[in-house]
Amino acid sequence: MSNSSYDFIMDIISKNNIKLSRSEQSILTRLKSLESDISNLSINEFAKTFYVSTATATRFSQKLGFNGYLEFRYALKSLTDNRAYKSLSIYEDMISSIGQVDPKLGDFIKNLDQFHKIAIIGIGTSGLAANEFVYKLNEMNIINSDYAKEPYAIELLTNSLNKEDLLIALSLSGENTNLLEGVDNALEKGAKILSLTRSPKSTLAQKSDFVFLTPSYSTYEFNISKMAPLIVSIDIICEIYQATRP
């Protein structure tokens, strides 16, 4: 059975899609079957326990996002999770990772009502979030919005846009083929593109005028709903818009 240190490290790796070297992977393999507490090990003791060099131990710590081994060890010593369900921990970590929105993106959001029409598209779970987004916009008296979540409907909606319109595309991966075809349609019509995605290097992000990065979350021990990061992002966008209104 895995220990808390192993679970903690795997959370970080899965959340940030970290690629490990062979020697770093060997640390995880041994740690998974290790029942003793490693949070009190010095870097030399850690290296000896896992049959790696101290340099590898340092690189491993830094790859996980820590300044060095000492910070990594402190994080391990601080492991205390009294929450009843893992999903609650994932939600709290996801929300706490959210930072300030880029000022240029914020200014763009504040002027959503300047567009003649706002079309919102998403496939699957993202399509459900698109529906919720339209509902939220209507609550704020932005009633010129519509959504589509099926490929044929996305094609029809995006082909109806022009240069006075905005397309908001929702996709965590940013690589859904049907959604990207809709984005291409909107681009050909001259519409602006705002995307909500977790990947700044995705095809969707590269095609967009503005990108709202959704918060990342761990998928190691439990998969929360994929709507969660989208809904949080939608609420933040709506809050930014409403903050400038009487």
Side-chain angles (χ1 to χ4, degrees):
M1 184 173 65
S2 61
N3 55 41
S4 60
S5 296
Y6 178 81
D7 292 339
F8 173 68
I9 294 170
M10 286 303 301
D11 275 346
I12 295 175
I13 291 172
S14 67
K15 182 177 180 180
N16 298 286
N17 196 27
I18 297 172
K19 305 298 182 184
L20 300 178
S21 67
R22 182 176 300 178
S23 59
E24 292 164 347
Q25 185 61 50
S26 71
I27 294 174
L28 283 181
T29 302
R30 179 160 171 74
L31 177 59
K32 187 174 183 179
S33 60
L34 203 64
E35 296 188 6
S36 58
D37 182 17
I38 67 168
S39 64
N40 291 313
L41 297 180
S42 68
I43 190 169
N44 289 322
E45 292 169 335
F46 182 93
K48 184 177 180 180
T49 299
F50 293 99
Y51 309 112
V52 296
S53 66
T54 55
T56 297
T58 299
R59 286 195 299 271
F60 181 67
S61 303
Q62 292 172 337
K63 190 169 285 188
L64 295 176
F66 302 101
N67 291 330
Y69 179 77
L70 287 178
E71 186 176 322
F72 169 56
R73 189 177 73 171
Y74 177 80
L76 292 179
K77 291 175 68 71
S78 301
L79 285 178
T80 54
D81 190 353
N82 298 319
R83 286 161 288 202
Y85 301 101
K86 183 61 180 177
S87 57
L88 298 180
S89 175
I90 295 172
Y91 275 113
E92 289 182 16
D93 290 342
M94 178 186 71
I95 292 171
S96 66
S97 71
I98 299 172
Q100 289 289 325
V101 170
D102 177 81
K104 290 184 179 179
L105 174 58
D107 289 340
F108 180 78
I109 292 170
K110 293 172 184 177
N111 291 289
L112 288 180
D113 59 347
Q114 300 302 307
F115 290 97
H116 180 262
K117 180 179 181 179
I118 298 178
I120 307 176
I121 60 173
I123 300 289
T125 303
S126 297
L128 299 176
N131 186 8
E132 172 66 13
F133 206 161
V134 169
Y135 180 79
K136 293 285 290 185
L137 292 178
N138 286 335
E139 284 187 329
M140 300 186 300
N141 294 319
I142 300 179
I143 58 175
N144 57 336
S145 61
D146 197 1
Y147 82 99
K149 60 185 180 68
E150 301 293 343
Y152 73 91
I154 288 175
E155 181 179 4
L156 289 174
L157 181 58
T158 54
N159 275 323
S160 71
L161 301 178
N162 60 49
K163 63 182 180 180
E164 296 180 346
D165 300 330
L166 169 66
L167 175 68
I168 302 179
L170 280 55
S171 173
L172 292 181
S173 70
E175 299 297 343
N176 184 280
T177 302
N178 291 315
L179 182 130
L180 291 174
E181 288 176 356
V183 171
D184 287 337
N185 289 339
L187 286 172
E188 290 178 4
K189 303 296 184 179
K192 288 286 187 181
I193 310 295
L194 167 63
S195 63
L196 274 66
T197 181
R198 68 183 174 197
S199 176
K201 296 182 180 180
S202 66
T203 304
L204 175 59
Q206 299 305 311
K207 291 176 179 288
S208 302
D209 296 289
F210 293 92
V211 179
F212 190 106
L213 292 179
T214 61
S216 57
Y217 58 94
S218 171
T219 59
Y220 167 59
E221 288 190 286
F222 180 78
N223 276 317
I224 61 172
S225 169
K226 291 182 179 180
M227 280 188 69
L230 290 170
I231 294 300
V232 170
S233 301
I234 289 169
D235 281 338
I236 292 173
I237 289 172
C238 292
E239 180 181 349
I240 292 172
Y241 175 80
Q242 280 191 310
T244 63
R245 299 304 184 274

